[in-house]
Each structure stands twice: as structure tokens, then as C-alpha cells.
Amino acid sequence: MNLTPASMEYVKKISVVAIVLLMVAAPAFAATNDPYFARLWGLHRVGAEPAWAASKGAGVMIAVIDTGVDTNHPDLQGKLLPGYDFVSNDAVPKDEEGHGTLVAGIAGALTGNKVGIASIAPDAKILPVRVFDGTGNGNSNTVADGVNYAIKEAGDRNMRLVLNFSFVPEGPTSGSSFFADPKLELAVRSAINAGAALVIAAGNSGANQTAYDSTNAEIVVVGASDKSDNRASLSNYGAGLDILAPGIDITSTYWDKATGNSVYASAQGTSTSVPFVSGAAALLMAKGMNGKAALNKILEHRVATMTPVTACSI
């Protein structure tokens, strides 16, 4: 089976959109010295700055189950836990595609460091878990191994866990069948029992069917919103969709496969929407909530039209 990270169109334009976290009135964390900060309108739209006054995600691990992460990226230094590569079966989860690096930056890049971008959860740690190779190939068995590894790492480090699934199963096996693989299903259940939050991409075919339709309160399926806070035309929708988050022209850290350089890029797709919700969950979980409570808090404040969250207090 071919399984690729939720496809994205890389572009030069910079823009974004989505969940709003309305926090307590207090001095905002200084992030204006990041060169691209003014261009991160999705970050501003979600209300990240007032949110940081109450929480920056300390003590929370966001496991990026993806293509790995660029461990040399200057905007991720000190944010990455060691991680593991389940493709090469070694302890070097280096990104060979770029997708995982982009996802990691949205969720937890260094913030206020006069370099690059700012992120949703500046004090959360990123666990790079490589389950897709440089062409985006992977399978449910490898993903399950990655989930089990993240659960153990969070437990060993006494950290709360958010699992970021910015990928969509493709090929002859549907998303529902992929996630119904017994080994992956057991791993997901173990994560839920451990109090983790799971955030999954809805898909990018604009179809009335999400890649995963959750019946668990600990799992949220995220679609992409556009600049007007409406569902982006590329985003899947339907009964399985829980919430929308920024998904158009998102700027983040990136590893350029063509040059091998640590750079920044803009992208669109539900892949980029997921880490906004993962980051928001991390902010709430840092205040003592488990995954279920954090995701419920976020979902309580979505509006009926499925536009992004408009008020989530910490």
C-alpha cells in the first residue's frame, strides 16, 4: 500500500487561517523578533499570543508521526527529543522528504529567538518519529510501531502526549481500513488509555468523506480552513470532520530535498491544519488536562458551521 503525507502544494506566498484560543489577560510572550512573525497570520488568528500568557506547552510531548524531522534546522534546536526511525530502524529520524519538518515547526518551533517563525506551543517538545520514507511510503504496521514508541517515551519522560497524524492513507486501502489494522488499532487504544490526544488529518481530495471517522473523544479529525474561515475547497468534510484549522499558505520550517538545506516553505493542506490543533491541545494539557479533556475543551468552542474555534479559555 502506498501511504503519503497529506499532499500539499508548495508555494512562495505566505498566508494562513484558523482556531482561536482566547486566553487570560496578561502580558503576551515576546515573539515579534522572529523575522517571519508578521506573516504568520494563522498563528495570530488562533490567538496564540494571548494563549502564551497562560501556557506555552511545557511538559508536553508532541509526537510527529511522519517523515522524520530535520535535526539540523536552526529553528528546531533544543526542541527535538531524540526520536526514532522505523523505516531504517535506527535512532536517527532524519527527514528525507520535508513534510515532517514542516509539521514540526508549526506545532513547536523555537519562538522569540530572532530566527524564522514562531509556533503554537513554544515550550512543548517535539518527538520525531519517522514512519514514512523519502517518497512518502509507509504502512500501518510502521505507524503502529511509532505510536507505541511515543507512548513509551512519554511515560519514561513523565510527559503528556499529543500524537500528530498529518497523513492520509492512499491507494486501494481506504483510510478507515488502514486505521482498522489490528496492530494500529491496538496502539491507538493504548495511547487513549495513556491519556494521549490524537489529532488526524481529514484529507485533501475535497470529498464528502474523511480519512478517519472517530468515535473516540480522544481523537479529533481536522479539516483545512481558508482565509475567510471557511472550509478550504481542498479539504475533505462530512460526518467524520470535527474541526477546521489553518490550512492555506502556511509558513514553517522545511527541509529542502532538492538542496539538502534547512529552509522555510509555505504549504497548504490538512497536513498543516493538524499541528495547529496539536499545539492547542499541548497548551491545554500543560495546564494539567489529559488528551480527552483538552480536545473536548477545543471542540466545545467550535461553531456550528465548522469554522475554527472562537474561544477556548485556559
Side-chain angles (χ1 to χ4, degrees), residues 23-37:
M23 301 296 173
V24 298
F29 181 67
T32 53
N33 61 14
D34 291 308
Y36 296 144
F37 187 68

Side-chain angles (χ1 to χ4, degrees), residues 12-161:
K12 298 296 183 182
K13 289 180 65 180
I14 313 297
S15 9
V16 209
V17 168
I19 32 181
V20 177
L21 291 172
L22 186 59
M23 301 296 173
V24 298
F29 181 67
T32 53
N33 61 14
D34 291 308
Y36 296 144
F37 187 68
R39 305 162 79 174
L40 305 177
W41 62 270
L43 189 78
H44 306 311
R45 187 71 63 86
V46 304
E49 295 157 275
W52 297 331
S55 172
K56 304 186 194 80
V60 180
M61 171 191 298
I62 301 175
V64 176
I65 312 294
D66 216 288
T67 62
V69 175
D70 177 9
T71 56
N72 294 320
H73 202 291
D75 226 0
L76 294 171
Q77 296 305 301
K79 294 305 303 292
L80 303 177
L81 296 170
Y84 197 81
D85 182 344
F86 287 94
V87 177
S88 300
N89 290 313
D90 59 41
V92 186
K94 187 182 185 308
D95 197 348
E96 295 182 5
E97 199 278 341
H99 188 273
T101 302
L102 189 138
V103 169
I106 297 167
L110 286 168
T111 299
N113 62 332
K114 300 182 181 180
V115 176
I117 63 166
S119 66
I120 301 298
D123 285 355
K125 293 291 188 179
I126 300 296
L127 181 72
V129 184
R130 186 173 183 244
V131 296
F132 303 115
D133 64 21
T135 63
N137 285 317
N139 56 65
S140 57
N141 182 72
T142 307
V143 173
D145 287 340
V147 171
N148 287 327
Y149 169 77
I151 296 169
K152 184 178 186 305
E153 284 296 299
D156 289 348
R157 296 174 182 275
N158 195 28
M159 300 180 76
R160 295 181 184 272
L161 175 63

Side-chain angles (χ1 to χ4, degrees), residues 1-3 169-178:
M1 168 181 173
N2 180 266
L3 194 152
E170 294 181 349
T173 305
S174 69
S176 58
S177 297
F178 175 85

Side-chain angles (χ1 to χ4, degrees), residues 168-169 201-212 221-225 231-244 269-270 306:
V168 177
N204 297 327
S205 60
N208 185 10
Q209 180 179 1
T210 54
Y212 184 80
V221 178
V222 187
S225 57
R231 180 181 63 85
S233 59
L234 59 79
S235 177
N236 287 14
Y237 58 99
L241 182 65
D242 291 313
I243 199 167
L244 299 177
T270 56
M306 290 302 298

